[in-house]
Amino acid sequence: MAELNHRQGPVGRHPGWPARLGPLRVRAGILEVRKPRLSDGAAWSRIRRRDRRHLETWEPTAPGDWDNNNATFAWPGQWSTLRGLARRGMSLPFVITVDGAFAGQVTVGNIVRGSLCSAWIGYWVGTHVAGRGVATAAAALVVDHCFREGGLHRLEATVRPENTPSVRVLTRLGFREEGLFRRYLDVAGAWRDHLCFAMTTEDVPSGLVSRLVAQGRAEHV
Ligand code: ACO
């Protein structure tokens, strides 16, 4: 049996990985969060190529061309990288589905354990489900998972101040604004200021999903 260390989880295994979270009913449909699959490539590519204008303004600048970077043939490399990071305990990369179909991603990255037990969280959803509670509920599922099975203590989210929907997602979930990082990240071709939001386990003793359910924004199914 694996030796258990509270701060690091079972030795040789990544706490919280793999996982399937939900289902929850939200305005867009039945939402679930699961690990990425090699077979997600076509749906991932179709949505990301269609939604370039919706995504490019807020995502880290990537070298190369958007259509190539987000072509179906680019997915196996991304999937393999995500899987490798997850297996090494450095990331919890999730796909969001709505009514069983690929709808976006939530990623927990830069997981550091020891005395920090901290990571960042980021997300995107396709325009076909946007504005109907998907990112809020998916992030709530993942935050609860990180603070329970994942053994993390603190999650940070950085967001451009102009990104009103994402700021709204974070404040709705109860993330605390902690400061402004100047010229923090290369986004859409320039170094952009980002607000830093954060949350620790002490902030949400009964979890984020139960709060959303109590607010009538999500329902267990
Ligand atoms: N002005 C003000 N509020 C807005 C606007 C707007 N233009 N558009 C949406 N909102 C509000 C909605 O009313 C809702 O607030 P509510 O809970 O009070 O009703 C909130 O923003 C959106 O909540 P959801 O419906 O849960 O979010 P959604 O599923 O639409 O996803 C997201 C939001 C992820 C930001 C989506 O717009 C997206 O993918 N954008 C492009 C990529 C991106 O910006 N990702 C986030 C980067 S920052 C980070 O990852 C920490």
Side-chain angles (χ1 to χ4, degrees), residues 54 58 122-123 125 131-133 135-136 163-166 168 172 217:
H54 164 69
W58 312 116
Y123 39 74
V125 304
R132 290 188 285 155
T136 303
N163 193 344
T164 309
S166 184
R168 188 81 190 131
R172 159 84 52 210
R217 293 178 172 272

Side-chain angles (χ1 to χ4, degrees), residues 85-162:
L85 289 169
R87 286 180 167 182
R88 292 202 301 281
M90 298 166 75
S91 174
L92 291 165
F94 291 107
V95 157
I96 306 167
T97 63
V98 173
D99 296 332
F102 188 105
Q105 291 175 270
V106 184
T107 306
V108 176
N110 199 24
I111 295 176
V112 182
R113 297 204 177 265
S115 309
L116 208 54
C117 282
S118 179
W120 55 252
I121 183 168
Y123 39 74
W124 69 270
V125 304
T127 49
H128 61 298
V129 295
R132 290 188 285 155
V134 171
T136 303
L141 283 166
V142 171
V143 170
D144 284 356
H145 180 69
C146 286
F147 285 166
R148 292 172 186 161
E149 292 82 355
L152 295 178
H153 172 250
R154 176 181 163 92
L155 284 171
E156 293 181 356
T158 53
V159 58
R160 291 181 64 186
E162 305 88 349

